[in-house]
């Protein structure tokens, strides 16, 4: 096997299941691509810019033995694809939760959990302001959660309960994929720029780095979907 396609293979395996199941009649995720793809693009652009900067600052790097060698600026093409493949899979899981478990959520408790989490992340990020990965992942995630509530009129279709249920499920494959990427390793982290707290080989910051990405994807997805639908799910 050519090890230079390792990262590609991990992405392909991650996408295979959700893509094949997108045509399930109950979820019919393929019919929702018109809202999904625009919702993925803006966060992907922001994350690619973030990634380019952090790679330049040696916050993380990529093992040349496990990537194709094709790069956009200083990022492997596989890393760019990551910000499209992973959101597709995550929003698919979110949509499955919505379709198979409708109206089984406690919005008030979920809102409280998300708001408390934002406070924790903001305080922790400020305490460790000198660590690039910790401070940026925690503070940006906290600020986006705050935005969801401050600009409730814009994000009125975001449902914190569905998000938290979905993300708790998403964490299993998300950590599995990141486990492969960090254990092989395809991605190498500079522990001077994070808390050096690991879940196996995964920096704990990855949980909130991923949470922010999925939050942005879902919030925009719901905004676009409900612009063309008279029915919406209110955050409050």
């Amino acid at each position: 096997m050519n090890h230079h396609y390792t990262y590609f293979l991990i992405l392909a395996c991650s996408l295979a299941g959700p893509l094949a199941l997108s045509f399930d009649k109950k979820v019919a995720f393929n019919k929702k691509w018109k809202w999904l793809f625009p919702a993925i693009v803006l966060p992907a652009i922001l994350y690619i810019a973030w990634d380019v900067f952090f790679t330049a600052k040696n916050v993380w790097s990529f093992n040349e033995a496990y990537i194709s060698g094709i790069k956009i600026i200083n990022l492997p093409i596989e890393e760019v694809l990551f910000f499209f493949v992973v959101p597709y899979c995550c929003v698919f899981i979110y949509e499955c939760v919505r379709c198979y478990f409708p109206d089984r959520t406690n919005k008030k408790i979920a809102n409280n959990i998300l708001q408390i989490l934002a406070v924790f992340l903001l305080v922790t990020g400020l305490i460790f302001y000198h660590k690039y990965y910790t401070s940026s992942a925690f503070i940006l995630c906290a600020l986006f959660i705050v935005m969801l509530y401050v600009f409730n009129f814009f994000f009125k279709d975001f449902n914190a309960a569905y998000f938290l249920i979905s993300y708790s499920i998403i964490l299993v494959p998300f950590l599995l994929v990141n486990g492969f990427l960090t254990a092989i390793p395809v991605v190498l982290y500079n522990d001077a720029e994070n808390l050096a707290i690991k879940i196996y080989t995964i920096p704990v910051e990855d949980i909130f780095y991923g949470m922010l990405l999925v939050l942005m994807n879902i919030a925009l997805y719901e905004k676009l979907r409900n612009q063309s639908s008279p029915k919406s799910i209110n955050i409050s």
Side-chain angles (χ1 to χ4, degrees):
M1 176 182 172
N2 189 332
H3 293 293
H4 288 291
Y5 292 101
T6 300
Y7 199 168
F8 266 128
L9 182 60
I10 291 171
L11 290 176
C13 290
S14 301
L15 182 61
L19 185 60
L21 294 172
S22 293
F23 302 90
D24 169 75
K25 290 182 179 179
K26 186 174 181 65
V27 180
F29 195 51
N30 61 305
K31 295 181 180 179
K32 298 161 188 174
W33 287 350
K34 58 186 175 183
W35 305 306
L36 172 68
F37 294 136
I40 287 176
V41 170
L42 179 58
I45 292 171
L46 295 175
Y47 264 74
I48 289 166
W50 185 359
D51 212 338
V52 166
F53 178 72
F54 271 20
T55 302
K57 289 292 184 180
N58 195 36
V59 176
W60 51 57
S61 58
F62 302 93
N63 191 334
E64 297 291 338
Y66 298 107
I67 58 177
S68 64
I70 302 170
K71 295 189 177 181
I72 297 177
I73 307 178
N74 59 355
L75 296 184
I77 186 67
E78 298 93 330
E79 181 74 354
V80 174
L81 291 174
F82 178 94
F83 299 117
F84 295 91
V85 170
V86 169
Y88 183 97
C89 299
C90 292
V91 180
F92 169 77
I93 292 172
Y94 167 81
E95 193 61 29
C96 288
V97 170
R98 286 187 75 261
C99 290
Y100 282 96
F101 303 98
D103 302 322
R104 296 186 182 180
T105 59
N106 190 317
K107 298 175 186 177
K108 184 176 181 180
I109 291 176
N111 286 331
N112 291 339
I113 291 172
L114 210 53
Q115 290 161 9
I116 291 169
L117 179 61
V119 173
F120 168 77
L121 290 174
L122 184 59
V123 171
T124 306
L126 290 173
I127 291 172
F128 295 98
Y129 70 91
H130 56 289
K131 294 181 179 289
Y132 271 126
Y133 193 19
T134 306
S135 59
S136 62
F138 284 24
I139 292 172
L140 290 175
C141 189
L143 292 178
F144 190 75
I145 292 171
V146 170
M147 282 180 59
L148 290 173
Y149 292 95
V150 171
F151 299 102
N152 182 35
F153 63 92
F154 185 82
F155 294 110
K156 63 181 183 296
D157 302 305
F158 174 78
N159 185 302
Y162 278 129
F163 168 75
L164 288 174
I165 293 169
S166 301
Y167 196 63
S168 65
I169 298 169
I170 287 166
L171 274 176
V172 176
F174 183 81
L175 291 175
L176 183 63
V177 169
N178 276 23
F180 280 117
L181 291 175
T182 54
I184 291 174
V186 177
V187 183
L188 303 128
Y189 287 89
N190 176 0
D191 285 344
E193 301 297 349
N194 60 56
L195 295 175
I197 298 173
K198 302 286 181 69
I199 302 171
Y200 183 44
T201 55
I202 307 165
V204 70
E205 286 85 353
D206 274 16
I207 292 175
F208 303 105
Y209 178 84
M211 177 179 279
L212 174 59
L213 179 62
V214 178
L215 265 174
M216 294 172 71
N217 294 144
I218 289 175
L220 291 173
Y221 173 73
E222 288 292 8
K223 176 66 179 176
L224 293 169
R225 187 233 299 271
N226 286 283
Q227 278 182 339
S228 59
S229 171
K231 183 179 179 181
S232 64
I233 301 172
N234 201 291
I235 194 172
S236 59

